Amino acid sequence: MIKIAFIGAGSVVFTRELLTDICSSPELSGCHIALHDIDADRLATADAVARWTAGALNAAPVITSHLDRRAAVDGAQYVINMVQVGMHDATLVDFEIPKRYGLRQTIADSYGIGGIFRALRTFGLLEDLATDMAAAGADGAWLLNYTNPMAMNCWFTYASTPVQNIVGLCHSVQHTTRHLANLAGVPFAEIDFVGAGINHQAWILRLTTDGRDLYPAVDAALARDPESARRVRVELYRRFGYFPTESSEHAAEYVPWFLNHDDQIDHFRIPIDEYVNRSEANLRYYERTKEKLAAGEGFSLDRSVEYAVEIIHALETGDARVVYGNVANVGLISNLPEGACVEVPCVVDADGLRPQKVGDLPAQCAALNRVTLNVAELVVRAALDEDPAQIRRAAMLDPNVSSKLTIDAIWSLCDDLVEAHRERLPQPLRVTLTR
């Protein structure tokens, strides 16, 4: 029996979507789904979501729930990680302390000062998860990681743990290509595309239908709607020549040109503190879900565009497909650093998951990616080398942070965040350096 472990199953939105995908697949609907969360209440809710979903879709998976993570991964062939360490309370810290320094953020989960500290508090979880997988005989399982910051988390895992079958999964490529197909007026099923770069900062390098370049049709659609130009990702497309895969609210905080300028925030309609609002909405959704389940009510069940279940299905059935995954750069993108975590197309079938070589990115796209990867590399090195100074250097190199704060302010900000997150950080990094 196929066993799929959900780590952080109390994240009920992801759990519901992935369970819908599994239970909608005849080849997977009888698998063993092992749910894990450290919060007993959230675990019980996830269990109820799983059983309601299976019943609604006439599927018959074996469903087990575990407060003990090792029991959940024991014998699993697939481990899906969707943990947010610290949850809403940690999110508030990542926004409120930088705000005292005048630093604006939108999402704060992938890069920037928020992404740096989200990575640092997630590395310990990934290390412990890898240890449990090895002890439970699941170190050869596929670790399908959804937890941000994607590039840093995957890079740390394959660089420092026995788990090498790891792929980071996102939905930015899926949503972006559907958006571009809509702009071009072509059904998504009829387009052909290639994208590559790094997570949340990849680029659609080719967009065609029957060999015809669709970028002119995208340009024409944008020209017909002047308001569409008031988006950060459209501005980046205009300046870099290739459409970026991440949403405008994410992209705005990865570069130095927007968040420190009031007129740019207004013009590009940038939602400051957006993730705080989303996090609060997720808390409300969780409570509503509990109430509905307690009342015997259900919820809508629609197949998602997530790659996790597509990968599992392809590996188990041999039904080949192409997905976009975040993997180690081993000769894949030649003008990005070897070993860095990059996002590329991957062929998946019964023989495994095979990242595809892209070669050189356009010079300007690679240049921006390298700026972002410089920060990611120093964060990973901080943990690998147990060197707290590398945290500060990463922040110094971050475009949004460095365009606003002095060096002294950056080091002081990092000290404040270390103090606030102390118990969530690896022991060697729980030190302040300027006081």
Side-chain angles (χ1 to χ4, degrees):
M1 179 180 289
I2 302 166
K3 182 176 181 181
I4 306 170
F6 283 48
I7 308 302
S11 176
V12 293
V13 175
F14 258 130
T15 295
R16 174 180 55 78
E17 290 181 348
L18 296 179
L19 285 167
T20 300
D21 293 346
I22 291 170
C23 292
S24 298
S25 170
E27 296 85 356
L28 301 179
S29 61
C31 69
H32 177 183
I33 297 169
L35 305 171
H36 164 71
D37 204 283
I38 61 172
D39 184 314
D41 184 70
R42 282 187 168 268
L43 181 60
T45 301
D47 187 276
V49 167
R51 295 181 188 282
W52 190 91
T53 301
L57 294 174
N58 296 314
V62 173
I63 299 169
T64 59
S65 295
H66 309 269
L67 287 168
D68 178 70
R69 183 174 54 220
R70 188 166 298 181
V73 302
D74 185 16
Q77 293 90 7
Y78 304 97
V79 178
I80 301 175
N81 178 46
M82 44 194 166
V83 173
Q84 182 189 163
V85 176
M87 297 186 64
H88 182 66
D89 289 345
T91 293
L92 292 179
V93 169
D94 286 342
F95 276 87
E96 291 174 354
I97 291 179
K99 191 179 296 185
R100 297 174 198 163
Y101 287 78
L103 200 59
R104 292 163 168 159
Q105 299 180 97
T106 49
I107 306 296
D109 73 342
S110 293
Y111 306 107
I113 196 67
I116 289 170
F117 276 86
R118 184 179 281 223
L120 293 170
R121 67 176 187 264
T122 306
F123 288 166
L125 174 280
L126 291 167
E127 197 166 37
D128 291 344
L129 175 58
T131 298
D132 284 345
M133 289 173 65
D139 47 328
W142 274 99
L143 176 55
L144 309 178
N145 180 67
Y146 275 106
T147 297
N148 284 323
M150 188 65 65
M152 299 185 215
N153 285 339
C154 293
W155 194 343
F156 172 82
T157 301
Y158 61 67
S160 68
T161 80
V163 174
Q164 297 299 297
N165 288 342
I166 177 172
V167 58
L169 301 177
C170 186
H171 44 239
S172 57
V173 171
Q174 300 95 301
H175 289 314
T176 297
T177 50
R178 283 163 171 77
H179 174 56
L180 292 176
N182 183 61
L183 286 175
V186 177
F188 175 73
E190 297 178 15
I191 71 168
D192 179 47
F193 65 90
V194 173
I198 62 175
N199 183 239
H200 285 187
Q201 202 180 68
W203 312 88
I204 302 304
L205 304 175
R206 187 178 78 234
L207 185 73
T208 63
T209 184
D210 294 327
R212 174 170 60 91
D213 184 9
L214 288 176
Y215 263 131
V218 171
D219 293 340
L222 294 173
R224 289 193 298 269
D225 179 15
E227 285 298 294
S228 65
R230 295 180 57 206
R231 292 294 184 197
V232 166
R233 70 193 314 199
V234 175
E235 183 71 1
L236 293 175
Y237 167 50
R238 288 182 59 236
R239 305 293 183 168
F240 282 81
Y242 296 88
F243 209 86
T245 57
E246 194 43 65
S247 65
S248 294
E249 56 268 28
H250 277 85
E253 63 185 2
Y254 305 159
V255 294
W257 310 305
F258 301 105
L259 292 183
N260 293 318
H261 307 282
D262 291 343
D263 62 331
Q264 299 298 290
I265 291 171
D266 291 340
H267 179 73
F268 291 107
R269 298 173 286 182
I270 300 172
I272 306 301
D273 295 343
E274 170 66 12
Y275 192 77
V276 174
N277 298 327
R278 294 185 190 181
S279 184
E280 291 171 348
N282 284 339
L283 293 176
R284 293 192 294 271
Y285 177 83
Y286 173 72
E287 293 301 328
R288 287 198 303 273
T289 299
K290 284 178 58 179
E291 292 168 1
K292 284 186 174 183
L293 290 168
E297 301 175 16
F299 31 80
S300 61
L301 297 175
D302 300 307
R303 292 292 295 266
S304 78
V305 296
E306 300 295 344
Y307 283 135
V309 178
E310 288 195 33
I311 290 172
I312 296 171
H313 186 273
L315 290 171
E316 293 295 329
T317 67
D319 185 7
R321 65 203 68 192
V322 175
V323 302
Y324 277 75
N326 293 272
V327 295
N329 186 28
V330 182
L332 302 175
I333 300 180
S334 45
N335 53 354
L336 292 184
E338 191 80 357
C341 186
V342 296
E343 190 167 73
V344 295
C346 303
V347 174
V348 194
D349 57 24
D351 294 326
L353 182 145
R354 299 182 298 283
Q356 301 299 290
K357 181 176 180 178
V358 175
D360 275 357
L361 295 180
Q364 69 275 22
C365 298
L368 185 56
N369 285 168
R370 286 195 297 268
V371 170
T372 309
L373 284 175
N374 286 339
V375 178
E377 180 178 14
L378 290 183
V379 177
V380 173
R381 288 254 59 97
L384 296 182
D385 300 341
E386 300 183 346
D387 184 356
Q390 296 288 38
I391 303 171
R392 283 76 178 169
R393 294 171 187 138
M396 287 168 59
L397 293 178
D398 180 78
N400 186 40
V401 176
S402 62
S403 65
K404 178 68 177 180
L405 303 182
T406 66
I407 291 176
D408 284 345
I410 292 170
W411 283 57
S412 179
L413 168 60
C414 289
D415 278 357
D416 287 349
L417 285 165
V418 165
E419 288 288 352
H421 284 306
R422 176 173 295 278
E423 299 307 314
R424 303 181 181 112
L425 302 180
Q427 185 70 43
L429 303 181
R430 299 177 185 180
V431 296
T432 56
L433 298 182
T434 61
R435 61 190 63 162

